Amino acid sequence: MQRKIRILIVEDEEAIRNGLMDVFVFHGYEVDCAADGREGLQKACSGIFDLVLLDVMLPGMDGFEVCNRVRAIDRDQPIIMLTARTSDDDIIQGLSLGADDYVAKPFSVAQLVLRVQAVLRRSQIGVANETRLFLGNDVEVDIANLSGRRGTEALSFTRREMDILQYLHANSQRPVSRDELLNKVWGYAKGLDMETRTVDIHIAKLRRKIEREPAAPRYLTTVRGAGYRLLTD
Ligand code: CA
């Protein structure tokens, strides 16, 4: 079990909002909601959500504007727009503002859940189908069982250590900053000026497990001024 995937639902119609919350809670997601554009923007900008379901017709600020502003802050935030309007112009506008997908109302719940899963899969953080991670030819990690081995040595991990390892593995093409780890793994809002030492302590513990020489890491490397990067081979 990895941490629950967090979805933000921005929808002004109470019946639809509550219905969507029930559906995604039922499917094992952690769900928060907002009833208007401004509240939605504020919550979406916290950066703690893996995906935002965003209605177009909203009081305060419409969904296109919310999408635009969220994108200005975080261009990788997965967003799916919901709308009753189905003209091609709306679809083009929504996608050109950077929504990852577009679902027209009335939608089938099953269809919406599939679209959400598809966007999460593309964004690499959600619905991890991987059950094992491999580093080089000597480290194997069993995600579900919080266990693994390095050579012939058995390893065990805490839930948090596994979440860090999975996140770094999913983003192994680049370094990941301490702030991003606090945001995406711990779920702290961005810009809180959190104690980043807690990240370093977890990294040190992970190195003692997966590295043959923790002081000279081959896999879990430090990128000066940028954070940590997991090299997978
Ligand atoms: Ca609406």
Side-chain angles (χ1 to χ4, degrees):
M1 285 290 292
Q2 55 185 141
R3 74 157 171 81
K4 284 190 177 184
I5 295 164
R6 304 186 189 98
I7 294 185
L8 175 66
I9 296 167
V10 187
E11 165 66 74
D12 57 315
E13 283 172 70
E14 192 179 359
I16 297 178
R17 190 171 66 241
N18 290 340
L20 287 173
M21 286 188 75
D22 288 346
V23 165
F24 286 100
V25 167
F26 175 77
H27 279 87
Y29 297 90
E30 194 175 311
V31 182
D32 194 3
C33 64
D36 64 59
R38 290 185 192 286
E39 187 189 5
L41 176 66
Q42 192 184 12
K43 287 190 173 179
C45 287
S46 71
I48 69 168
F49 295 99
D50 298 303
L51 183 129
V52 178
L53 276 179
L54 181 59
D55 189 29
V56 170
M57 301 290 278
L58 291 167
M61 180 187 296
D62 75 21
F64 293 128
E65 179 72 22
V66 175
C67 181
N68 203 6
R69 293 199 189 189
V70 171
R71 272 285 178 272
I73 292 169
D74 182 356
R75 65 186 171 81
D76 296 323
Q77 171 68 58
I79 297 173
I80 295 179
M81 309 280 289
L82 303 173
T83 186
R85 301 189 298 187
T86 54
S87 80
D88 290 342
D89 280 355
D90 284 346
I91 294 174
I92 289 161
Q93 192 183 358
L95 294 176
S96 72
L97 285 176
D100 296 275
D101 202 353
Y102 198 95
V103 178
K105 294 177 183 171
F107 45 78
S108 95
V109 164
Q111 190 61 243
L112 179 62
V113 171
L114 287 175
R115 303 280 274 277
V116 164
Q117 288 170 344
V119 169
L120 287 169
R121 207 174 296 123
R122 286 206 297 274
S123 75
Q124 295 186 320
I125 25 182
V127 204
N129 292 318
E130 292 166 300
T131 56
R132 282 168 194 275
L133 304 179
F134 296 91
L135 301 172
N137 53 19
D138 64 338
V139 178
E140 180 180 351
V141 175
D142 181 334
I143 295 168
N145 291 311
L146 302 180
S147 64
R149 61 175 183 81
R150 179 169 51 76
T152 55
E153 191 180 333
L155 304 175
S156 69
F157 300 90
T158 64
R159 175 76 271 156
R160 185 75 83 196
E161 288 166 355
M162 191 62 78
D163 288 346
I164 295 167
L165 207 49
Q166 264 191 288
Y167 190 78
L168 291 173
H169 190 267
N171 295 282
S172 59
Q173 74 283 4
R174 63 177 176 89
V176 175
S177 71
R178 293 170 177 80
D179 281 340
E180 182 174 342
L181 285 169
L182 285 168
N183 182 227
K184 298 294 187 186
V185 175
W186 272 261
Y188 293 135
K190 283 179 182 166
L192 278 186
D193 226 8
M194 293 296 304
E195 183 57 66
T196 53
R197 229 178 83 78
T198 187
V199 175
D200 300 337
I201 291 166
H202 281 79
I203 295 288
K205 285 184 184 163
L206 271 170
R207 280 178 174 153
R208 286 201 289 276
K209 295 178 182 182
I210 65 173
E211 300 286 354
R212 206 165 285 280
E213 292 181 70
R218 171 184 168 192
Y219 303 119
L220 217 179
T221 62
T222 299
V223 180
R224 196 174 292 273
Y228 297 106
R229 181 171 174 197
L230 189 68
L231 302 177
T232 56
D233 53 30

